Amino acid sequence: MACLRTPADRFSRLIGFDYPVGFIDVGGGVRMAYIAAGPADGQPIVLLHGEPTWGYLYRHMIAPLADAGYRVLAPDLVGFGRSDKPTRIADHSTQRHVDWMRAWFDALGLTDAVFFGQDWGALIGLRLVAEQPARFSRVFVGNGFLLTGDEPARFLIGVWRAFAQYSPLFPVGAMLQAGTRRWLSRAERAAYVAPFPDARYMAGPRALPRLLPVSPGDPAHRPNRAAWTALETFESPFHTCFSDGDPVTRGGAKPFRERVPGAASVSHKTVAGAGHFLQEDAGEEIAHFMRDCALRS
């Protein structure tokens, strides 16, 4: 498939995100970028972003987790951040993103991993947790879900899918601000726009909303239902960390708490005063919650 690579100088003025960048070929010459922080021999903790963000979203969480002794890894999904960007919307599918993410895990040989996924990071990451549960020692889901298409229709998801498909504009900086309670600086908004110099780079952000399964006829319906079946036997600690101010994922913690055995006797968190991008509003608070959960076990 044809891919573009965002010029490196687009990321030259990032504030608070000065980490070495690595690249891994996840198949067919497609490169996935990631940053690493903390001790190389520390327990790995993987922070997976969603739509339309990239690893920069976790900059407030990385230092506290690295200081706690974790090897913190924040990859950029293919089509986002510093990763390669397939140029066609049709190049993106849920299965392909799961396969790319699995290839990244395999290349790094990650085991005993702690996982945190938000938005599409949860949708993709939980598929891997379901496939290879022994690889994960602890899971956190923040403002995310694993949709199958069996759920009642969510009006905002329908609006979001239509917007991504038909709107001539896709203002990433404005989207981040709309989903964040605190005011983002001009530099922060620019950092989220940086991966996308022009519309040719935007196939990923345009594709993912329309891949959300909204009916049993969607391609992800059966694999996601199978993933739920596997998660219903997952007994390692499984925490939810949802904000109180996200209309998109409101109520999304309940199915995890009710259906995943590992969620039954562990701590969960509601983050007050945070929006959809809770990492922006309360990143350090969430990192401390994650650290404390591990200390209590």
Side-chain angles (χ1 to χ4, degrees):
M1 69 182 69
C3 289
L4 295 171
R5 290 178 179 171
T6 303
D9 61 7
R10 295 275 298 182
F11 304 99
S12 63
R13 297 184 179 181
L14 299 176
I15 298 173
F17 200 66
D18 186 20
Y19 298 102
V21 184
F23 295 91
I24 287 176
D25 187 324
V26 291
V30 176
R31 298 191 315 171
M32 179 176 284
Y34 68 100
I35 65 94
D41 60 351
Q43 183 181 12
I45 185 166
V46 177
L47 309 175
L48 191 56
H49 70 90
E51 157 88 0
T53 61
W54 57 293
Y56 178 80
L57 178 67
Y58 286 100
R59 68 196 180 283
H60 302 301
M61 297 174 58
I62 292 169
L65 292 170
D67 290 345
Y70 289 102
R71 179 191 181 197
V72 185
L73 302 163
D76 298 336
L77 293 174
V78 172
F80 298 81
R82 295 183 175 102
S83 293
D84 286 356
K85 296 172 180 64
T87 57
R88 301 187 310 147
I89 288 174
D91 291 331
H92 293 267
S93 69
T94 302
Q95 187 61 55
R96 186 166 272 171
H97 276 280
V98 172
D99 293 342
W100 282 326
M101 200 70 236
R102 186 191 308 104
W104 180 82
F105 266 84
D106 289 344
L108 289 175
L110 298 180
T111 58
D112 190 33
V114 177
F115 173 77
F116 184 102
Q118 182 257 348
D119 191 84
W120 265 93
L123 279 157
I124 294 167
L126 290 177
R127 286 276 298 273
L128 294 181
V129 173
E131 288 179 12
Q132 302 179 349
R135 185 171 230 167
F136 298 89
S137 61
R138 189 178 298 270
V139 172
F140 294 84
V141 174
N143 284 3
F145 32 43
L146 181 61
L147 299 176
T148 65
D150 296 312
E151 301 83 5
R154 289 175 177 253
F155 173 75
L156 289 178
I157 288 179
V159 171
W160 178 227
R161 282 166 55 104
F163 178 83
Q165 185 167 0
Y166 299 114
S167 173
L169 301 176
F170 205 79
V172 170
M175 292 175 189
L176 263 292
Q177 186 59 77
T180 305
R181 290 290 183 87
R182 73 177 183 85
W183 186 252
L184 299 175
S185 70
R186 181 179 297 181
E188 288 172 321
R189 295 194 302 274
Y192 285 113
V193 176
F196 313 112
D198 59 53
R200 297 174 299 157
Y201 294 76
M202 298 287 291
R206 290 283 192 175
L208 290 193
R210 68 186 70 183
L211 294 177
L212 290 167
V214 295
S215 76
D218 282 287
H221 170 70
R222 288 188 178 181
N224 286 9
R225 285 193 70 178
W228 264 114
T229 299
L231 290 175
E232 288 170 344
T233 67
F234 186 78
E235 296 185 350
S236 294
F238 191 109
H239 309 265
T240 59
C241 182
F242 279 59
S243 70
D244 65 354
D246 181 21
V248 178
T249 61
R250 182 175 291 126
K254 184 178 179 181
F256 295 118
R257 295 187 190 185
E258 292 179 345
R259 298 174 64 180
V260 180
S265 58
V266 299
S267 299
H268 301 278
K269 184 173 182 64
T270 299
V271 183
H276 180 66
F277 300 108
L278 71 172
Q279 303 96 316
E280 280 289 359
D281 287 319
E284 290 190 20
E285 179 183 345
I286 296 166
H288 293 153
F289 168 68
M290 296 172 70
R291 179 201 62 193
D292 292 346
C293 286
L295 290 175
R296 284 195 292 266
S297 62

